[in-house]
Amino acid sequence: MIKLEYFTPADFPQLITWITDPKLLMNWSGSLFSFPLTEDKLAWYLEDTNDPATSDALIYKAIETKTGEVVGHISLGGISRKNSAARISRVLVGNSTARRRGICQGMMKAVLRIGFEELGLHRIDLGVYDFNTAAIRCYEKAGMQQEGLSRDILKYENEYWSLIEMSMLDHEWHALHSK
């Protein structure tokens, strides 16, 4: 099982060790960061976050409850109280040996629960590059639905990446979890 706790400066070194190359950084963060990831860049990323009453971003580390090990990172940002909406971003299962153990799905369920049950949101969305089939499967298993494709939205080196848009609405969340 996965629980989420706020990401803090004490977590910077671990996240930095997980981001091993420029392509992984781009896949994880889009154009938000440049390689290499540093503590200064992460300090900027945390500014004005993690206050559920006022922040427009809540940034989390994912902890496996059985072991207490930090196994991932996830953010719920673009929080619009006016529109009752937010966007999941920067989803990362940290250690490659932790992959294929349901950690991504646990992280997604935990952040969706926060968004729909604690914040009372109506809509939560995300974008995922179309080549990231493992992430797409994870998001679909968590109940996210594909909405569309933004073609060739990002250029990385000599190739273009397309972005699949996915979302979930509050009534879909509640239907999945009222059984």
Side-chain angles (χ1 to χ4, degrees):
M1 184 162 183
I2 298 296
K3 71 176 180 175
L4 300 181
E5 292 181 1
Y6 289 127
F7 182 71
T8 69
D11 302 307
F12 292 177
Q14 183 173 43
L15 181 60
I16 289 168
T17 65
W18 289 340
I19 305 294
T20 56
D21 63 70
K23 188 172 185 175
L24 176 58
L25 179 65
M26 184 65 70
N27 189 16
W28 175 67
S29 71
S31 301
L32 184 65
F33 297 110
S34 59
F35 192 80
L37 192 57
T38 65
E39 292 195 14
D40 287 343
K41 292 173 188 174
L42 289 172
W44 166 82
Y45 171 56
L46 268 187
E47 284 180 14
D48 301 319
T49 65
N50 295 344
D51 180 344
T54 61
S55 297
D56 69 354
L58 303 174
I59 302 170
Y60 298 100
K61 60 185 171 189
I63 300 169
E64 194 167 37
T65 55
K66 280 184 188 173
T67 64
E69 179 186 3
V70 176
V71 292
H73 181 94
I74 193 166
S75 173
L76 186 65
I79 298 171
S80 169
R81 286 158 185 83
K82 177 183 182 279
N83 295 311
S84 192
R87 186 168 180 88
I88 296 170
S89 59
R90 286 171 280 294
V91 179
L92 179 68
V93 175
N95 184 335
S96 61
T97 61
R99 297 199 175 124
R100 303 216 186 282
R101 292 187 7 223
I103 291 169
C104 176
Q105 200 170 349
M107 290 168 40
M108 286 295 296
K109 287 179 181 177
V111 81
L112 288 165
R113 186 193 57 72
I114 290 167
F116 290 123
E117 296 179 14
E118 293 179 20
L119 300 177
L121 298 175
H122 170 68
R123 174 189 165 86
I124 299 175
D125 62 36
L126 61 80
V128 58
Y129 295 114
D130 65 347
F131 59 81
N132 194 344
T133 56
I136 294 165
R137 277 192 311 276
C138 167
Y139 304 153
E140 287 174 338
K141 286 180 183 176
M144 302 292 286
Q145 295 184 28
Q146 289 192 29
E147 293 186 324
L149 177 71
S150 297
R151 299 178 303 150
D152 293 354
I153 197 165
L154 183 138
K155 186 174 184 181
Y156 180 78
E157 294 182 349
N158 292 322
E159 64 182 1
Y160 287 96
W161 294 0
S162 296
L163 190 74
I164 295 173
E165 290 291 333
M166 302 180 81
S167 72
M168 180 182 278
L169 302 177
D170 56 353
H171 69 271
E172 295 164 340
W173 168 261
H174 294 297
L176 281 172
H177 295 89
S178 65
K179 297 172 184 175

